[in-house]
Amino acid sequence: MHEMAIAEGIVDVALDTLKANEGTIIHAIQVQIGALSGVEPEALYFCFDAVTRGTPAEGAILELETIPMKGRCLECHQTFSMEQYRHVCPHCESFAVEELQGRELRVASIDMD
């Protein structure tokens, strides 16, 4: 379950940020997750609760924002939403498609005191 390692990384970032800002408690962590990042949200919530026990982040809310997949055709230069693993331009049917978003995994913000 790679969600445990992801949860640990999220909490490490939050705790480092808390310390750097001389905070005492983390209330919420907002994380952006691309649709094709391979992260299972329910597993991440479970792991997050386990990883935060006994830390200043215990009881914090994990807020997940899903970033949809978008691509750009390298032939007709159109930008479009992509369906899962279908990397075909809906405008010209080219397979020369560049992924613009959808694989993100980043801490967007941290609410703390």
Side-chain angles (χ1 to χ4, degrees), residues 48-71:
F48 179 80
D49 286 341
V51 170
T52 57
R53 285 191 193 116
T55 73
E58 184 171 3
I61 298 168
L62 178 62
E63 300 170 356
L64 302 180
E65 175 190 358
T66 302
I67 306 297
M69 283 212 56
K70 285 192 179 177

Side-chain angles (χ1 to χ4, degrees), residues 69-73 78-82 97-100:
M69 283 212 56
K70 285 192 179 177
R72 177 178 39 233
C73 179
Q78 294 291 318
T79 300
F80 53 91
S81 294
M82 293 171 42
V97 173
E98 170 187 28
E99 288 181 6
L100 297 177

Side-chain angles (χ1 to χ4, degrees), residues 11-107:
V11 173
D12 286 348
V13 167
L15 293 175
D16 289 347
T17 303
L18 183 73
K19 183 177 179 180
N21 290 281
E22 299 178 4
T24 58
I25 189 167
I26 296 171
H27 300 288
I29 303 171
Q30 296 77 29
V31 177
Q32 295 175 329
I33 298 178
L36 286 180
S37 65
V39 176
E40 179 58 46
E42 291 306 315
L44 184 57
Y45 286 126
F46 177 81
C47 294
F48 179 80
D49 286 341
V51 170
T52 57
R53 285 191 193 116
T55 73
E58 184 171 3
I61 298 168
L62 178 62
E63 300 170 356
L64 302 180
E65 175 190 358
T66 302
I67 306 297
M69 283 212 56
K70 285 192 179 177
R72 177 178 39 233
C73 179
L74 298 175
E75 292 188 24
C76 74
H77 307 289
Q78 294 291 318
T79 300
F80 53 91
S81 294
M82 293 171 42
E83 299 293 326
Q84 293 296 348
Y85 294 101
R86 185 165 162 78
H87 291 65
V88 178
C89 177
H91 304 284
C92 71
E93 298 184 7
S94 170
F95 289 95
V97 173
E98 170 187 28
E99 288 181 6
L100 297 177
Q101 69 179 39
R103 295 190 185 273
E104 295 84 354
L105 179 57
R106 65 176 159 254
V107 175

